[in-house]
Amino acid sequence: MRIHHLNCVTMCPPGGRWMDGRSHGKGLSASLVCHCLLIETERGLVLVDTGFGLGDVRDPRPRLSSFFLQLNRPQLHEEMTAIRQVERLGFKPEDVRHILLTHLDFDHAGGLDDFPDADVHVMLDEVEAAAAQRTWLDRQRFRPRQWRTQPHWVTYPTPTGGERWYGFDAVRELKGLPPEILLVPLVGHTLGHAGIAIQRPEGWLLHAGDAYFHHEEMNPDHPSCTPGLWAYQELMQKDGRMRRHNQERLRELVRVHDRDVQVFCAHDATEFERLEQESRADEPHALRGLGSVQDVEPTLPTLH
């Protein structure tokens, strides 16, 4: 399998280095990526998360909430959407046969409509909790207008028993997908949150979604997080105890199996740049650098 690392729209919240931990010039905002994967398999293309989609870029409201538009300040450029990056790689949108979602937050599921024929794989608990819209914050983060492809969704109950993956429960038989791709429940940020594990000849990749937000949180000996991202995780968590528990388990995974498993999250620019650089050596020259992170002053989207 060949894996492409895509940044499907950069978010530029205020806070600079207090948010993302990177060095910024005076007055510049933070840079948080939307780290998605495009996997070439013998059964077609597979997307892991979609980032923001064409509908979000062209008409942010009412697909996205005013609260998160102002808080996260996404740079809504059409060329950064997954569908446009798929096309630049020489594929057609219909070549994307499957999409795996870590969870249903607006910045992970916004591109679902751009691939209307793809089967979408997601945990059942995530769909039920997101659809319930129980709280004000749920209604801001889970946006049903992004979910028109629901007839193509394939849901999976939380696994009990069975063969475990490095001590984690895992959904191993994903409909239509090769056995090298797994769903790994990582509840906490949302109630059906999951990581996506992909087996390569050189070892496993684990896209941990929003199980953590900053690469230093995975430091086994001295974990740390920026004040801004610590506060954001506290705001967004649905089960704080489980979120912290799963972060501990991920750190132990890194400590014990760092040669076998490479763990990364959805929004850390440092992790994205490292992985994208490792993979882009095989990319056509014209595609190199697409999706990279730049320290730019955000242009706020027009709220229609």
Side-chain angles (χ1 to χ4, degrees):
M1 291 187 295
R2 185 177 179 185
I3 301 175
H4 307 271
H5 295 265
L6 312 179
N7 172 21
C8 297
V9 173
T10 298
M11 297 182 289
C12 296
R17 65 186 179 90
W18 298 105
M19 176 64 73
D20 64 11
R22 294 157 68 91
S23 179
H24 294 272
K26 184 177 180 180
L28 288 180
S29 301
S31 295
L32 303 179
V33 301
C34 290
H35 192 162
C36 305
L37 304 178
L38 181 68
I39 309 171
E40 298 181 40
T41 79
E42 294 179 352
R43 306 183 190 185
L45 299 181
V46 178
L47 265 178
V48 175
D49 282 348
T50 69
F52 293 88
L54 288 178
D56 304 319
V57 169
R58 293 171 176 173
D59 188 15
R61 296 268 322 260
R63 286 174 60 90
L64 304 171
S65 77
S66 298
F67 174 76
F68 281 110
L69 281 169
Q70 296 299 330
L71 179 64
N72 292 334
R73 300 195 288 188
Q75 299 297 281
L76 297 174
H77 302 305
E78 184 169 322
E79 65 270 19
M80 301 303 295
T81 60
I83 188 172
R84 294 294 179 247
Q85 295 195 57
V86 165
E87 291 170 341
R88 285 200 298 272
L89 284 166
F91 301 108
K92 300 176 181 178
E94 55 266 30
D95 294 332
V96 176
R97 304 289 300 277
H98 300 274
I99 299 172
L100 289 90
L101 291 180
T102 59
H103 60 300
L104 278 165
D105 273 346
F106 62 94
D107 52 333
H108 295 256
L112 291 176
D113 288 351
D114 298 333
F115 306 96
D117 298 322
D119 287 337
V120 178
H121 304 263
V122 62
M123 298 301 295
L124 177 61
D125 287 346
E126 182 69 7
V127 175
E128 292 179 345
Q133 303 272 284
R134 290 190 178 93
T135 69
W136 177 85
L137 188 59
D138 287 348
R139 293 187 288 276
Q140 309 313 302
R141 71 190 297 180
F142 301 126
R143 307 298 287 182
R145 288 180 180 269
Q146 296 177 330
W147 305 348
R148 290 186 295 178
T149 63
Q150 263 192 289
H152 294 281
W153 290 14
V154 184
T155 60
Y156 300 89
T158 302
T160 56
E163 184 182 356
R164 292 168 70 81
W165 181 83
Y166 291 98
F168 291 80
D169 290 325
V171 181
R172 290 183 172 271
E173 296 183 5
L174 302 177
K175 180 182 177 182
L177 286 164
E180 294 84 4
I181 301 178
L182 314 177
L183 278 169
V184 180
L186 294 171
V187 173
H189 180 71
T190 63
L191 296 178
H193 186 279
I196 314 298
I198 306 111
Q199 187 176 27
R200 308 167 299 163
E202 62 270 33
W204 288 88
L205 281 178
L206 178 63
H207 189 315
D210 287 0
Y212 69 96
F213 274 69
H214 190 261
H215 61 277
E216 284 297 330
E217 292 182 89
M218 289 297 105
N219 185 323
D221 300 315
H222 303 287
S224 64
C225 186
T226 63
L229 290 178
W230 178 88
Y232 191 79
Q233 291 183 79
E234 290 285 318
L235 168 69
M236 299 296 287
Q237 67 188 13
K238 296 297 293 183
D239 187 330
R241 182 187 66 82
M242 284 301 298
R243 179 180 68 83
R244 291 184 290 272
H245 173 64
N246 279 322
Q247 283 190 356
E248 288 285 352
R249 298 172 72 209
L250 289 172
R251 277 191 287 272
E252 186 64 14
L253 177 67
V254 171
R255 181 197 304 277
V256 178
H257 298 288
D258 65 313
R259 294 186 178 183
D260 302 320
V261 184
Q262 194 167 11
V263 180
F264 60 96
C265 68
H267 298 301
D268 186 271
T270 298
E271 291 179 337
F272 171 78
E273 289 171 348
R274 181 179 70 248
L275 288 162
E276 193 267 344
Q277 185 175 17
E278 290 175 2
S279 67
R280 72 180 179 177
D282 295 329
E283 300 278 356
H285 180 75
L287 296 171
R288 295 178 186 178
L290 290 174
S292 61
V293 182
Q294 299 179 2
D295 292 338
V296 294
E297 188 63 22
T299 303
L300 295 181
T302 301
L303 306 184
H304 299 295

